[in-house]
Amino acid sequence: MTKRDKLKAHLQRYGFFRTAFWLLMRGASSFLGFNLFVVRTSLTPKTLDNPCRLANLDYRRLDTDEALRWTEDTELELDPEISRRALERGDILFGAFDGSRLISYIWRSVSCAPHSDEVWVRVARPYCYSYKSFTRPDYRGQRIVPALILYSDQEMLKDGYTHRAGYVDVSNFASLAMAGPMGSEHIGHAGFLQWFGKCFSFRTKPVRDIGFEFFGRRSD
């Protein structure tokens, strides 16, 4: 799809004003280094009616050895070195399995995780943060990731993480529309400005109160 086709499709789906805002934010990010996000949180219920039934798959937390073994499957886009560093930081990989085959996954962080090579995200207990989800192409469209998020919420609750925090680009209308049905609540905004190799972050007070922030850091 060409850039013109993408623009036409966006106009047809979201209309003129939303498309103009989308283009404005893309330009601000590309040329000015300005990025703005909606921050959302959700409280994990103490009980949940078997989220595995949502996709009729087996869900589980992968230990370090199993997670690193799956990095050998290039279709999964699990970079071996990035995955190793994530596990060393204490990040957790949750996966959905069809039999013995890992077909979808999501990472959860309880400290900090990369947004990009030079900008990271930090959260504070009892909040945890989910990032980088992936589903094999032949399993997409079955809402496996939402079920996996619900499952991982319950597992994180066992370790005392009662809330999940996340963020969505203010112009990503599709993802913003999905957030409500997942039970998350909009609490404020956060973002950053990259200027001459520096990262200047900002956040609204409700976001600051939960310890969520962007900060500059180069990947190891």
Side-chain angles (χ1 to χ4, degrees), residues 3-219:
K3 291 183 178 180
R4 183 175 181 179
D5 290 336
K6 289 181 180 179
L7 179 59
K8 183 177 180 180
H10 206 280
L11 277 166
Q12 291 175 340
R13 184 172 183 181
Y14 298 111
F16 174 79
F17 291 105
R18 282 191 169 188
T19 299
F21 180 69
W22 173 66
L23 290 172
L24 176 65
M25 295 310 299
R26 288 185 65 186
S29 177
S30 298
F31 299 110
L32 301 177
F34 178 81
N35 298 268
L36 180 63
F37 303 89
V38 172
V39 178
R40 305 186 68 95
T41 64
S42 61
L43 171 66
T44 301
K46 292 183 178 180
T47 60
L48 190 65
D49 182 23
N50 193 0
C52 298
R53 294 178 184 172
L54 295 175
N56 195 32
L57 298 169
D58 177 37
Y59 295 79
R60 68 174 182 267
R61 172 177 175 166
L62 282 69
D63 63 29
T64 299
D65 290 340
E66 184 178 18
L68 292 177
R69 282 199 302 271
W70 280 107
T71 64
E72 299 172 6
D73 187 332
T74 56
E75 185 183 45
L76 289 172
E77 299 179 9
L78 278 169
D79 181 271
E81 187 59 24
I82 293 175
S83 298
R84 182 189 62 78
R85 292 200 299 264
L87 293 163
E88 289 177 350
R89 288 195 306 269
D91 292 0
I92 303 165
L93 183 63
F94 290 95
F97 288 80
D98 186 357
S100 61
R101 187 187 188 207
L102 178 62
I103 54 94
S104 182
Y105 64 81
I106 189 167
W107 284 97
R108 301 297 290 262
S109 172
V110 297
S111 56
C112 62
H115 167 76
S116 65
D117 287 342
E118 298 182 346
V119 179
W120 287 51
V121 180
R122 179 164 30 225
V123 293
R125 193 182 185 95
Y127 289 83
C128 59
Y129 163 59
S130 59
Y131 70 98
K132 186 172 173 51
S133 61
F134 178 88
T135 302
R136 292 184 190 270
D138 49 330
Y139 285 88
R140 292 174 185 171
Q142 301 180 47
R143 295 188 60 79
I144 295 172
V145 168
L148 188 54
I149 290 173
L150 293 176
Y151 170 80
S152 59
D153 280 347
Q154 291 291 301
E155 291 298 302
M156 298 303 295
L157 184 60
K158 296 175 182 178
D159 294 331
Y161 294 94
T162 58
H163 293 73
R164 170 172 29 95
Y167 62 92
V168 182
D169 188 291
V170 292
S171 63
N172 189 340
F173 306 118
S175 293
L176 288 171
M178 288 178 57
M182 286 299 297
S184 63
E185 176 187 9
H186 171 195
I187 66 164
H189 293 82
F192 59 89
L193 174 67
Q194 285 184 282
W195 198 253
F196 295 107
K198 300 289 186 179
C199 174
F200 304 93
S201 64
F202 53 88
R203 49 188 171 160
T204 56
K205 185 179 183 302
V207 176
R208 185 185 307 113
D209 289 344
I210 71 167
F212 181 99
E213 67 174 334
F214 292 99
F215 65 100
R217 171 179 170 178
R218 291 186 179 275
S219 297

